[in-house]
């Protein structure tokens, strides 16, 4: 109840001209960024962070959240019309959205997708409001061992889920990220590591330029390398869906919303995995699974609900643990630190109002997204026709300014370029980049807490398995690692068969 | 990269990672233990990077063994294949993009005025990538004109927005 009051307090704070103005332009810009292949939500938020860092915190974070919600939604537009997801989060959307557009239902596909995104976002924000305080209170019991275990768990699960085909590459990416965080002055004895006598490197690798590189520059190279995109010629008919068409999918909407939020809240996993998981669930429990991939509204709504629900989900660990649920949320977290908002376990004691303000911001962004998403549909299609040869140099110019802006150092432009090249090579070799970024954030937490833990217990690591929360995290980590070992999987398979065999015999 | 070539790529990347991991471990061991400051030996700076180096090393080793099992060590690099690789359209576009962006970000920014370097970069990028050999001269000229106008607009607008609206000092 107290939370609801604080939510309304937060909401009334944003009921003024400037806030609504910011919501409108930032969400619209987010939709555009999301729509354009090659511009992702992460990059949009990273660039926007550099633009808004002189604004007051409450306005800057509002703009970033609007950008986030708008971009994750906006990607569905190009997924439907181009068969190219505007952001990775909309890959599952393209599966059914594009066949619908091809058969002349582009308008209703956009309408249903937008409505799904709206409900997903609302479900995500409800969970955000309910679970952030709960997890925050639980996290108050966290000590060095829990944080160490959580950091390792974060990169392992993120590696696992972002590289389902080859989790080993995901884990390597995550541990490389943890290593990147080791560069520069460490936090306990102020010793400078791996700087090779460079003054610039001794300050460490800043997250924003690295992310602009990994998610911006590397994407520019990929877009230029790939084939040209063709926009399909399609008449956009009625966009606003009939209530009946939405209501009949209520089960899918709720299920996808819950799955989306939950997957979003897992460290470093994010909206793209959320929408795939939800899509698979919807397909498996559907009455018409044969329609999936050929133009199923149910499939479309399951993907679009989940990825926007995941936005709320990814912000839960950002606020409660200072650990991001996805790459865009990682930038959001970095931006909060820049603005002196300190998320983490203490947030419910120090500034609980900020949690509910964030919920109010997501709410404003959701309304903005729905209104803007349903209007100006035809005009926005033209944006998709801007050729990449004209768009990409502009994006790179923005990457350069974005990397430079926060600290005004040419060195950061170099960091952006190097990480862009690393990101491109990694993507070409099937290494996911999200765990790398998560690793860069978690590296500092890992470093300080492992050493603190070792000093406290005089080198004894048993508290890792004797403290209950730590034990749970360790077990989850071990299971995540072991479950991918072929020998273990064969053993599990045999055990399963033996069990079922026994049942069959006894039956 | 296609599936067939992945074991080869893994073979190479695992060796690079292994070398990286070993050097990280060696550097971590050689980091000062700060005995003169009577620091607890369990909190020395090298302990966490050393641990990470070992983990990355183990992962790299697993990948190396796996790629060898999949016969990834047969790299089959020869002159003809290399040539075929470098004249592929997509590879040329990627290399062109990297070259142009590097010249701009490392060569021009900070040395030339921001406005000029941005103009040159955008103009060159659009001009080069929109160039079609078979275009009639008139069309070629028009494309270059459009590139110049766009470059002028982009550099002027970005400079103005960042300098006066967002108050960012530009390089």
């Amino acid at each position: 109840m107290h939370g609801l009051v604080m939510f309304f307090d937060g909401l009334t704070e944003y009921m003024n001209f400037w806030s609504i103005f910011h919501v409108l332009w930032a969400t619209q810009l987010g939709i555009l960024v999301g729509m354009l292949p090659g511009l992702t939500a992460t990059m949009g938020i990273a660039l926007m962070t550099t633009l808004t860092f002189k604004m007051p915190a409450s306005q800057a974070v509002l703009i970033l959240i609007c950008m986030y919600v708008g971009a994750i939604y906006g990607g569905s537009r190009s997924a439907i019309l181009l068969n190219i997801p505007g952001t990775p989060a909309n890959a599952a959307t393209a599966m059914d959205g594009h066949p619908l557009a091809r058969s002349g239902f582009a308008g209703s596909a956009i309408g249903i997708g937008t409505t799904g995104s709206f409900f997903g976002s609302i479900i995500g924000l409800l969970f955000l409001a309910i679970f952030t305080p709960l997890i925050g209170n639980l996290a108050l019991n966290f000590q060095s061992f829990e944080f160490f275990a959580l950091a390792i768990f974060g990169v392992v699960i993120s590696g696992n889920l972002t590289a389902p085909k080859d989790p080993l590459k995901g884990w390597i990416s995550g541990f490389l990220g943890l290593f990147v965080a080791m560069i520069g002055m460490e936090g306990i004895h102020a010793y400078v590591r791996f700087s090779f006598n460079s003054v610039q490197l001794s300050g460490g690798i800043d997250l924003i330029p690295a992310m602009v590189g990994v998610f911006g520059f590397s994407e520019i190279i990929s877009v230029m390398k790939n084939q040209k995109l063709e926009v399909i010629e399609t008449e956009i008919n009625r966009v606003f869906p009939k209530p009946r068409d939405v209501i009949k999918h209520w089960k899918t909407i709720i299920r996808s919303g819950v799955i989306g939020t939950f997957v979003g809240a897992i460290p470093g996993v994010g909206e793209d995995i959320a929408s795939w998981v939800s899509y698979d669930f919807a397909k498996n429990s559907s009455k018409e699974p044969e329609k999936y991939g050929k133009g199923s509204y149910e499939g479309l709504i399951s993907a679009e609900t989940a990825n926007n629900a995941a936005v709320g989900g990814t912000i839960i660990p950002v606020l409660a643990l200072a650990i991001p649920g996805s790459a865009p949320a990682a930038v959001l977290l970095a931006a909060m630190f820049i603005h002196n908002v300190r998320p983490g376990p203490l947030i419910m004691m120090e500034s609980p109002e900020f949690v509910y303000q964030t919920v109010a911001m997501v709410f404003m962004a959701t309304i903005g997204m729905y209104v803007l998403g349903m209007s100006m549909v035809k005009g926005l299609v033209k944006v998709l026709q801007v050729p990449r040869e004209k768009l990409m140099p502009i994006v790179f110019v923005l990457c350069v300014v974005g990397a430079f802006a926060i600290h005004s150092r040419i060195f950061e432009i170099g960091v952006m370029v190097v990480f862009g090249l690393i990101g491109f090579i990694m993507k070409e070799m099937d290494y996911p980049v999200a765990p790398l970024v998560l690793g860069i954030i978690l590296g500092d937490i890992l470093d300080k807490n492992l050493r603190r833990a070792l000093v406290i217990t005089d080198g004894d690591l048993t508290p890792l398995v004797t403290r209950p929360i730590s034990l749970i995290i360790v077990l989850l980590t071990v299971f995540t690692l072991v479950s991918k070992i072929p020998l273990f999987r064969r053993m599990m398979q045999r055990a399963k068969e033996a069990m079922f065999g026994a049942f069959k015999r006894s039956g | 990269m296609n599936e067939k070539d992945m074991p080869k790529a893994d073979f190479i990347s695992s060796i690079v990672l292994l070398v990286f991991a070993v050097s990280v471990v060696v550097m971590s061991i050689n980091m000062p233990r700060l005995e003169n400051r009577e620091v607890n030996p369990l909190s020395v700076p090298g302990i966490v990077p050393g641990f990470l180096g070992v983990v990355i090393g183990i992962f790299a080793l697993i990948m190396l063994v796996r790629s060898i099992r999949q016969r990834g060590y047969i790299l089959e690099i020869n002159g003809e294949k290399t040539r075929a690789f470098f004249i592929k359209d997509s590879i040329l576009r990627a290399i062109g993009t990297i070259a142009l962006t590097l010249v701009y970000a490392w060569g021009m920014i900070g040395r030339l005025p921001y406005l000029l370097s941005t103009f040159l970069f955008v103009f060159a990028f659009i001009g080069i990538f929109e160039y079609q050999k078979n275009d009639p001269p008139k069309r070629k000229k028009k494309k270059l004109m459009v590139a110049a106008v766009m470059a002028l607009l982009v550099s002027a607008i970005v400079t103005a927005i960042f300098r006066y609206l967002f108050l960012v000092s530009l390089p």
Side-chain angles (χ1 to χ4, degrees), chain A residues 32-110:
Chain A
L32 283 171
V33 164
M35 268 172 76
L36 291 164
L39 299 187
T40 58
T42 314
M43 186 180 172
I45 304 171
L47 289 178
M48 205 36 88
T49 304
T50 63
L51 296 184
T52 53
F53 81 109
K54 292 206 171 149
M55 286 185 168
S58 59
Q59 298 292 323
V61 178
L62 173 69
I63 289 172
L64 298 181
I65 286 182
C66 289
M67 184 83 188
Y68 190 2
V69 173
I72 294 295
Y73 157 71
S76 68
R77 202 58 68 81
S78 43
I80 292 169
L81 295 174
L82 290 178
N83 200 19
I84 301 285
T87 72
N90 312 92
T93 311
M95 295 288 287
D96 286 296
H98 190 64
L100 281 169
R102 279 212 172 276
S103 23
F105 298 108
S108 56
I110 291 173

Side-chain angles (χ1 to χ4, degrees), chain B residues 32-164:
Chain B
R33 311 278 157 86
L34 309 172
E35 286 104 343
N36 52 348
R37 279 160 56 183
E38 291 183 8
V39 152
N40 187 324
L42 292 163
S43 74
V44 295
I47 201 158
V48 179
F51 160 72
L52 295 176
V54 170
V55 176
I56 295 173
I58 294 171
F59 286 151
L61 207 60
I62 296 173
M63 190 144 85
L64 181 68
V65 172
R66 195 183 65 183
S67 67
I68 290 175
R69 275 178 162 183
Q70 294 166 339
R71 306 178 79 74
Y73 57 90
I74 308 171
L75 293 174
E76 289 178 310
I77 296 176
N78 54 37
E80 199 181 320
K81 272 204 168 169
T82 321
R83 242 189 324 272
F85 177 78
F86 278 108
I87 54 167
K88 251 197 253 167
D89 207 24
S90 59
I91 300 296
L92 282 179
R93 276 201 306 268
I95 293 174
T97 309
I98 294 173
L100 281 171
T101 47
L102 287 191
V103 167
Y104 171 61
W106 273 342
M108 301 205 295
I109 293 276
R111 292 201 178 87
L112 294 178
Y114 179 79
L115 200 70
L116 177 67
S117 44
T118 305
F119 172 81
L120 288 176
F121 167 69
V122 178
F123 177 68
F125 198 101
I126 301 177
I128 291 173
F129 281 106
E130 292 211 325
Y131 177 81
Q132 294 277 337
K133 222 177 180 178
N134 305 331
D135 276 346
K138 217 175 168 186
R139 200 171 148 75
K140 276 184 190 160
K141 219 170 168 186
K142 196 185 155 201
K143 274 185 176 173
L144 282 181
M145 289 287 286
V146 173
V149 172
M150 276 214 48
L152 197 65
L153 283 176
V154 170
S155 46
I157 292 174
V158 169
T159 309
I161 289 184
F162 279 84
R163 192 158 288 166
Y164 302 112

Side-chain angles (χ1 to χ4, degrees), chain A residues 134-199:
Chain A
L134 293 180
I135 295 179
N137 286 335
L138 186 72
L140 282 176
N141 300 321
F142 280 24
Q143 287 178 4
S144 297
F145 280 105
E146 281 80 12
F147 275 110
F148 165 69
L150 199 61
I152 297 284
F153 173 69
V155 291
V156 169
I157 187 91
S158 166
N160 218 26
L161 293 178
T162 51
K165 262 199 301 187
D166 194 355
L168 189 61
K169 289 185 177 172
W171 301 333
I172 291 177
S173 172
F175 277 89
L176 283 177
L178 291 174
F179 173 78
V180 171
M182 300 295 120
I183 299 171
M185 193 183 285
E186 47 97 21
I188 296 187
H189 305 302
Y191 175 75
V192 178
R193 296 184 290 207
F194 305 106
S195 74
F196 305 102
N197 296 328
S198 146
V199 181

Side-chain angles (χ1 to χ4, degrees), chain A residues 36 381-391:
Chain A
L36 291 164
V381 177
K382 293 215 164 51
V383 178
L384 288 176
Q385 287 156 344
V386 178
R388 59 180 177 177
E389 288 80 5
K390 289 199 175 74
L391 189 65

